[in-house]
Amino acid sequence: MAADQRRSRRSGGEDRISGLPDELLHDILVRLRCARAAARTSVLSRRWRHVWAHLPELRLDQRRRPTASGLLFLDTIDAALAGYSAPTLERLSISIPSNSNAPSSVVGPGARIAPWLHFAAARVVGELNLFLRAPQTFVVATPEVVGEEAVLELPVCEQTKRIELFLQYADTHWLRPQASGSGLFTALTFLKVDGHVRMTGSDLTALVSTQCPCLRELDLFITLIVNFHVLIHSNSLHTLVLRVLETRRLEVVAPRLEELTVFARPLEAHISATKLVKVAWHGVYDPHLHRFVDVGSTLRLLKTSSQALSLTKRFDEVDELDHLSIDLKWQDVARYESFLNETNKLLKCKSLCISLLWEHALVPVMWHLLRSCNGTKRLRVHLWGPWSQRVMHSCLPACPYRLEESLKIDVIDLSSLEEVEISGFSGSHEQMELVEFLSSNARILKRLRINYHNCRRPKEAREKVRSMCHPNLKVEFFVFHEGRQVLVE
């Protein structure tokens, strides 16, 4: 392009690229995916001098300039925002990775980031994305503080549709939304906040329940301070992901909510969502303290942890029960009995995924869970833990976990099972016993997939598995190689 420009200047005419309308030039420069590279085109001619300043997108990414000092890059950001001329901007993306080498004398976060946020509040009508993961880039100078923590105010962005903030630029900082009397995030449909960020429960409640009337997706990874209660009342939310640490009470009232994911461990929870169809609960679940009210009895997806097995009793039917996590220590009979009580009536599901840690008691656990598999079409079993632990804690025929459970195999109905996948397969006695039982009792089983892990004699194991299966069953073996699963012929 530079050669064309030089030839054009020598001939006294305009080159064909510069003769294009601004909209096409913007499209060309946006494809550079770098605001600095776009701005450098201004040296070509007067025609190009201000083209970059009207781009619909600005991407300021230090990863594209790894040799630049952190301080110089911050100045570049300030200059780019100051030189931008268009009244609106579809996307503003600023990224400072963890390898930033800014000096420790840089001024505080409020003084440096606040102008970027106010620029976004005034100009961005599409997406704002700040990825600031540079512990040495921002050092607190003289910011407003609460105790010893810096406060960063999030201004009201009335036109912005999506906001994603990753603020891991210092140990912890308090993010405070601008007061609701100053306006609303009227266009905001997506909000994600991640990193070393703290908020008060009252600020979070006000932001979500009062200031964002059109919010559809909310994803939070924050720590609460001062006020530890979160009340989310929203008529627009469809997806909610919460990693809100230090939550004492969580209340969600969202009549349009369809997907809920909770990673934190609220002491109390009250969930009211009549359209809820997907639930992922990864912390402790206590049916007396964590209540689902005004929620249907059927789901499309339910994910639970080993600490939330009793959540399966709250619902009657689910299309997919994913990662039913079981963690049984060797010879911990009390924990095994608790597991039996928590899962004595598993909800009806079309697809069941079980994760078993250390593999101990694989056979009795599977017998117990398979009793609830009437109607299940797909079964996935993930076996975790080092191979040495599996051998050391191998479940022997005389194991107390097996005695009572092994007598109830005849009540297991696998007449609907069509597909089975076993991951972490090492060829142990328990695994072979499970494979033999499935292949013998699942009469319409069409596919068996086995993913190897630390199998000492893989060829021997393959031959033994195939000898157990009827000829019409498609048996596949995969091994993890160079970052992907490879089929073993």
Side-chain angles (χ1 to χ4, degrees), residues 35-94:
R36 177 176 172 81
R40 290 177 63 184
T41 62
S42 62
V43 304
L44 298 176
S45 70
R46 291 181 181 179
R47 171 73 176 88
W48 288 83
R49 186 168 300 173
H50 300 292
V51 172
W52 76 270
H54 293 268
L55 287 176
E57 298 182 11
L58 283 183
R59 297 175 184 266
L60 301 158
D61 189 346
Q62 193 178 21
R63 288 173 294 188
R64 295 180 175 272
R65 300 184 64 215
T67 59
S69 72
L71 184 58
L72 179 60
F73 185 69
L74 298 181
D75 293 338
T76 299
I77 295 173
D78 293 339
L81 300 184
Y84 190 77
S85 303
T88 60
L89 181 62
E90 287 291 334
R91 174 179 176 137
L92 173 61
S93 178
I94 299 175

Side-chain angles (χ1 to χ4, degrees), residues 138-157:
F138 304 100
V139 177
V140 177
T142 56
E144 180 184 357
V145 296
V146 176
E148 298 180 353
E149 294 180 312
V151 175
L152 179 64
E153 186 175 73
L154 177 63
V156 172
C157 303

Side-chain angles (χ1 to χ4, degrees), residues 129-296:
N129 191 323
L130 297 185
F131 184 89
L132 310 179
R133 191 174 185 175
Q136 297 302 317
T137 301
F138 304 100
V139 177
V140 177
T142 56
E144 180 184 357
V145 296
V146 176
E148 298 180 353
E149 294 180 312
V151 175
L152 179 64
E153 186 175 73
L154 177 63
V156 172
C157 303
E158 295 183 355
Q159 304 177 85
T160 309
K161 297 181 178 67
R162 296 175 60 90
I163 296 178
E164 185 168 352
L165 306 177
F166 187 92
L167 306 176
Q168 195 171 330
Y169 50 79
D171 290 337
T172 52
H173 285 83
W174 181 16
L175 180 68
R176 181 179 63 193
Q178 191 173 336
S180 58
S182 303
L184 301 176
F185 294 78
T186 52
L188 192 65
T189 60
F190 175 92
L191 174 62
K192 181 175 182 178
V193 181
D194 198 346
H196 291 174
V197 177
R198 293 190 173 192
M199 295 182 70
T200 69
S202 54
D203 280 345
L204 177 56
T205 295
L207 175 64
V208 178
S209 302
T210 305
Q211 295 183 264
C212 301
C214 298
L215 193 63
R216 292 176 58 88
E217 297 180 57
L218 177 63
D219 188 336
L220 296 174
F221 192 175
I222 62 174
T223 301
L224 293 184
I225 57 173
V226 183
N227 183 298
F228 304 95
H229 303 308
V230 178
L231 280 68
I232 297 179
H233 292 188
S234 172
N235 290 321
S236 59
L237 266 182
H238 284 240
T239 302
L240 178 59
V241 179
L242 294 175
R243 303 173 185 84
V244 182
L245 308 182
E246 304 299 333
T247 303
R248 293 178 183 171
R249 174 170 170 77
L250 170 66
E251 180 176 311
V252 177
V253 179
R256 297 186 180 181
L257 187 67
E258 297 180 358
E259 301 181 28
L260 172 66
T261 301
V262 177
F263 285 93
R265 300 180 178 183
L267 299 180
E268 296 181 52
H270 176 96
I271 312 296
S272 175
T274 56
K275 293 188 177 181
L276 196 63
V277 291
K278 295 183 180 181
V279 176
W281 193 281
H282 297 278
V284 174
Y285 174 79
D286 185 333
H288 302 291
L289 298 176
H290 306 127
R291 296 174 177 262
F292 285 81
V293 298
D294 297 325
V295 174

